[in-house]
Amino acid sequence: MDRRAFLRTAAAAAFVAIGSLAGAQSVRRLPVIPVTDLTDGINGRIPLALGPGTHDFGTGTAS
């Protein structure tokens, strides 16, 4: 067997192995998040409470 035939056979075996692994996994569907109807505006639909706050962005200092 020459190098070219070996590589061809190895590639075909890899595709078969990957295909069988992909088919063995179960498909888990993601949940569908309900969408808020905003066609009439957002007044009264999304309550917001705004106020001062701080956050540490990884520098060790809260800003």
Side-chain angles (χ1 to χ4, degrees):
M1 176 183 283
D2 63 346
R3 184 185 316 170
R4 194 170 284 171
F6 172 76
L7 291 175
R8 200 173 319 146
T9 304
F15 282 123
V16 169
I18 291 171
S20 65
L21 288 176
Q25 295 175 354
S26 63
V27 176
R28 209 169 108 195
R29 305 199 84 173
L30 295 175
V32 177
I33 300 171
V35 178
T36 303
D37 181 17
L38 298 174
T39 55
D40 293 330
I42 62 170
N43 295 334
R45 299 203 184 234
I46 303 174
L48 297 176
L50 303 177
T54 60
H55 184 77
D56 179 8
F57 290 98
T59 61
T61 306
S63 326

